[in-house]
Amino acid sequence: MEKQNEDSVEMQVLIPSNTTAEIIIPTMNQDSILESGTPIEQVIGLSSVEQMSEGLKLLVGSGDYYFKFPMT
């Protein structure tokens, strides 16, 4: 599920048990991404962050994630 307003995007992602997923967040500013109100560098279950031309690629484990980031 994804919601947008004038300033930000909110995205909810559910990763099934015993799996991992790559999530592309369409922003280049890692410091501006929050997961359930927590900066992503402090998120349990986040294995890596890689900068790509499309944005930031996050590798995450199973769980329910709620990302919020500014519109670019």
Side-chain angles (χ1 to χ4, degrees), residues 5-32:
N5 63 37
E6 291 178 16
D7 303 321
S8 64
V9 177
E10 298 174 9
M11 183 170 62
Q12 184 175 9
V13 181
L14 176 61
I15 311 302
S17 298
N18 301 314
T19 60
T20 60
E22 293 178 350
I23 300 169
I24 305 294
I25 303 288
T27 184
M28 294 298 188
N29 185 357
Q30 180 175 336
D31 296 333
S32 68

Side-chain angles (χ1 to χ4, degrees), residues 36-72:
S36 297
T38 302
I40 61 167
E41 56 270 357
Q42 298 175 14
V43 172
I44 296 171
L46 176 65
S47 300
S48 69
V49 178
E50 180 182 342
Q51 194 163 10
M52 305 181 66
S53 60
E54 303 90 11
L56 295 173
K57 178 172 75 172
L58 312 179
L59 179 61
V60 297
S62 57
D64 193 5
Y65 298 92
Y66 179 76
F67 296 101
K68 185 173 182 178
F69 52 93
M71 297 284 291
T72 54

